[in-house]
Every structure is written in structure tokens, then in C-alpha cells.
Amino acid sequence: MNLNKLSSVKKKKLRVGRGIGSGKGKTSGRGVKGQKSRSGVAIKSFEGGQMPLFRRLPKRGFNSIRKNKIVTINLDNIQKLIEKDKIDINETITLNILKKAKVISNSIKKFKILGNGELKSKIDVNTDYISNTAKSKIEKLGGKLILNK
């Protein structure tokens, strides 16, 4: 009993260009002449002269070059930075201090503090935006909060 005929697990690779009897001889199924018969040619998004799909669809949206990039930081991330001594508790946490600690990139213009996680130490924060939970957690520990306009 031949197991290869029962289960089609092992299928032989088709060897193109190996004679007329193979079914894929001579031109190896590429037709005759033309760009697509040559090797190393890929015609991406070519639809036979028809207007391509990416040109038929309308362009949408606008990306402003002056867009204010806002980054969000959770309270548990601030606590980790305090524990690693990247941020000093006695200083007010500002955008420049976070940039110096290499927490955020220099291209960021504003940041928002979110209330995820627990804060163990009293901190003073100078931020652009803050969530209500983060505000209540900072004020509960006796920290000061300054919002930039």
C-alpha cells in the first residue's frame, strides 16, 4: 500500500521548463515574449491601462505640520521614574524635566497626566492637561497642581 497516494501531505514541487511532457515546458507557463515573460519584472498596481484603484479613490484628510503633539503619562509611570531617581520629588514636574529625563522626545509640545496606577509620594506638577482621577490623587497626597493655558 502506497501511503503517498492516500495522503496528499507530500506533494512534489512542479519543475517548470523541463520539457513538453511536464505540461510546463518551453516557456514555463509565461506565454510568449512581452514584459511579463522576462525575469525580474513585477508590475505593481498595474491594471492593464485601466485607472488604478489607488488613483480612483478620493484623497482624504490633512496632516498639519504645526500640529500640537500631546503625550500622555500615567501616575504609575511617574512613580516608577521617582523610584529610579530620574525625577526629583522636590522639583516641580514640567515638560522640560521630562525631556531632560528622556521620558518624552524633544518634538513634544504638551503633555497630559492620566490617573492610572498609584502615586506614593507627594509631587508638584506643571502640566497642560490632567484627568480628574489624576487630579484627585495628586491633591489627596498634598501635591500642588499648575495648569498651563
Side-chain angles (χ1 to χ4, degrees), residues 120-135:
K120 296 169 188 164
S121 49
K122 178 188 138 189
I123 56 169
D124 298 335
V125 180
N126 187 348
T127 183
D128 299 295
Y129 309 101
I130 191 163
S131 68
N132 290 331
T133 53
K135 186 178 181 181

Side-chain angles (χ1 to χ4, degrees), residues 18 24 35 42 50 55 59 69 75 84 87 103 111 126 135 145:
R18 294 296 186 276
K24 289 274 185 200
Q35 188 178 10
Q50 173 180 298
R55 286 184 62 196
K59 291 181 179 173
K69 295 179 183 174
L75 286 176
K84 290 180 182 176
I87 295 177
V103 179
F111 79 103
N126 187 348
K135 186 178 181 181
L145 193 66

Side-chain angles (χ1 to χ4, degrees), residues 12-19 21-26 28:
K12 279 192 170 181
K13 185 182 166 215
L14 188 69
R15 297 178 69 211
V16 295
R18 294 296 186 276
S22 69
K24 289 274 185 200
K26 193 186 167 206
S28 307

